[in-house]
């Protein structure tokens, strides 16, 4: 095979053959195809796209570059959720134990945050003692005893994607629906789940800013999953405004525990229940039959909370220990009275990041206590001079830049008729 031929073929808009795709992904992973050649191919794919057969083969080639876990011998059916990432998106935390409490097993491989959206592992690492790195044997042991495990993906899963994602990141080729789909799905197929629910976020705080691109991403990923024997469905959900009232690592863990205790913000509860029902259905479980509980009931009756504590303990964490708090807080007051008609997810995410909740480079540490508390959500009334946000940071010099990010982040209107936006926008199956 000749890499230059492959680059030229895609540059000129041709369909790549399965053999070309297998070879180029393998040769790149082994170092035989140079970084500059793969950059050229990534740009050609970015500009020309790939059809369903090419995307499916590209995913398979990345999957074949590493190990594939297999949990098909567990007593419970396995199911997982992947979110494309949003601000205040702590849903994995209440969702995993809720689904476990209802009878499925959830093998969840998560990541750390980069940029304005937080990572699930960063949130969980704010729990004293909790460990993200588990061996495959430990992962299997936690999953079979508790029904849920949330841990870091080992280096052996889809190594081709790790290398290619890092290259795309520095060559302006991340925002390609075929390559995003193959990247996400190669990792999800490698983790060995039997079924998968995708939460594809839409709006200012999300990767996909408009519904049409989100729908195309969802369609592409759902097709890849189903083509590979993993029952896959997607929900398109709103990320124009943050989820819940807390944005930041330990703040979001505390909010997740509120939800697991039967309370918490309505949007976090709604999305947790909607995704949990989809996961159970994808795993072939029906609430009300064979002892399968409905997720809303599991949140109400304490079983989801008990499952959370069990999963956290099994990974070395103390679910009853106090969570870290930031050293300093600053309150931002509402400048006017009226209805909060807009609260921008991206700008709130940026403020939390500037407060220390996120990282700029992979090797940076995060502040567990940093973040933003939202005292009002769109549709709620606010009064001039009352708290609108509380900012949390370890270093007070961070407050001014975070407050700046929030300056144009909201609208308050007197006598405004506020149309609530639906949280679940569409379903792709
Ligand atoms: N997340 C991934 O895992 N891969 C992408 O390409 C984009 C987002």
């Amino acid at each position: 095979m000749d890499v230059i031929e492959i680059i030229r073929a895609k540059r000129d808009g041709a369909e790549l053959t399965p053999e070309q795709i297998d070879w180029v992904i393998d040769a790149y992973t082994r170092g035989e195809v140079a970084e500059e050649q793969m950059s050229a191919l990534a740009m050609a794919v970015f500009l020309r796209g790939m059809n369903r057969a090419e995307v499916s083969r590209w995913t398979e080639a990345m999957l074949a570059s590493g190990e594939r876990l297999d949990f098909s011998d567990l007593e419970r059916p396995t199911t997982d959720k992947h979110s494309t990432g949003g601000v205040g998106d702590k849903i994995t935390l209440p969702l995993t134990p809720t689904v476990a409490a209802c009878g499925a097993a959830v093998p969840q491989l998560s990541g750390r945050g980069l940029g304005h959206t937080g990572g699930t592992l960063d949130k969980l690492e704010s729990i004293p003692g909790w460990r993200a790195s588990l061996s495959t044997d430990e992962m299997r042991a936690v999953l079979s005893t508790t029904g849920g495990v949330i841990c870091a993906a080992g280096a052996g899963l889809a190594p081709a994607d790790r290398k290619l994602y890092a290259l795309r990141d520095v060559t302006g080729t991340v925002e390609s629906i075929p390559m995003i789909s193959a990247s996400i799905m190669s990792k999800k197929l490698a983790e060995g789940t039997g079924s998968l629910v995708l939460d594809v976020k839409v709006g200012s705080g999300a990767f996909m800013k408009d519904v049409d691109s989100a729908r195309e991403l969802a369609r592409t990923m759902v097709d890849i999953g189903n083509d590979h024997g993993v029952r896959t469905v997607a929900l398109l959900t709103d990320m124009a405004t943050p989820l819940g009232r807390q944005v930041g690592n330990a703040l979001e863990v505390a909010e997740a525990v509120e939800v697991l205790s039967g309370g918490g913000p309505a949007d976090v509860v709604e999305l947790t229940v909607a995704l949990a029902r989809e996961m159970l259905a994808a795993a072939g479980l029906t609430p009300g039959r064979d002892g399968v509980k409905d997720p809303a009931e599991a949140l109400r009756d304490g079983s989801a909370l008990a499952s959370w504590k069990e999963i956290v303990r099994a990974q070395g964490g103390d679910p009853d220990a106090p969570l870290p708090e930031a050293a300093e807080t600053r309150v931002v007051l509402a400048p006017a009275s009226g209805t909060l008609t807009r609260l921008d997810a991206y700008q709130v995410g940026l403020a939390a990041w500037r407060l220390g909740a996120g990282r700029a480079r992979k090797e940076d540490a995060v502040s567990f206590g940093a973040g933003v508390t939202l005292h009002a959500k769109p549709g709620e009334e606010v009064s001039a001079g009352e708290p609108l946000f509380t900012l949390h940071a370890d270093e007070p010099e961070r407050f001014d830049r975070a407050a700046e990010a929030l300056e144009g982040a909201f609208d308050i209107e007197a006598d405004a008729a506020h149309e609530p936006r639906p949280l679940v926008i569409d379903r792709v199956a």
Side-chain angles (χ1 to χ4, degrees), residues 161 165 168 174 179-180 183-184 187 207:
D161 175 62
Y165 194 10
R168 288 167 52 218
V174 167
M179 285 191 287
I180 295 172
S183 165
I184 292 174
K187 287 174 283 200
F207 226 24

Side-chain angles (χ1 to χ4, degrees), residues 162-176:
R162 188 166 308 225
K163 201 171 167 193
L164 182 55
Y165 194 10
L167 179 72
R168 288 167 52 218
D169 203 23
V170 294
T171 54
T173 53
V174 167
E175 301 88 346
S176 147

Side-chain angles (χ1 to χ4, degrees), residues 298-340:
L299 290 176
R300 265 195 307 269
D301 72 5
S303 54
L305 182 63
S307 171
W308 159 261
K309 292 191 175 190
E310 209 187 348
I311 294 170
V312 169
R313 280 196 194 101
Q315 291 184 229
D318 177 354
D320 301 314
L323 289 164
E325 283 180 23
E328 311 278 338
T329 56
R330 181 192 284 183
V331 176
V332 176
L333 304 176
S337 297
T339 308
L340 185 70

Side-chain angles (χ1 to χ4, degrees), residues 5 19 135 138 194 266 276 279 285 304 310 370 410 428-429:
E5 273 307 304
E19 293 73 26
S135 67
E138 285 176 313
M279 288 167 77
L285 299 176
E310 209 187 348
F410 59 88
V428 177

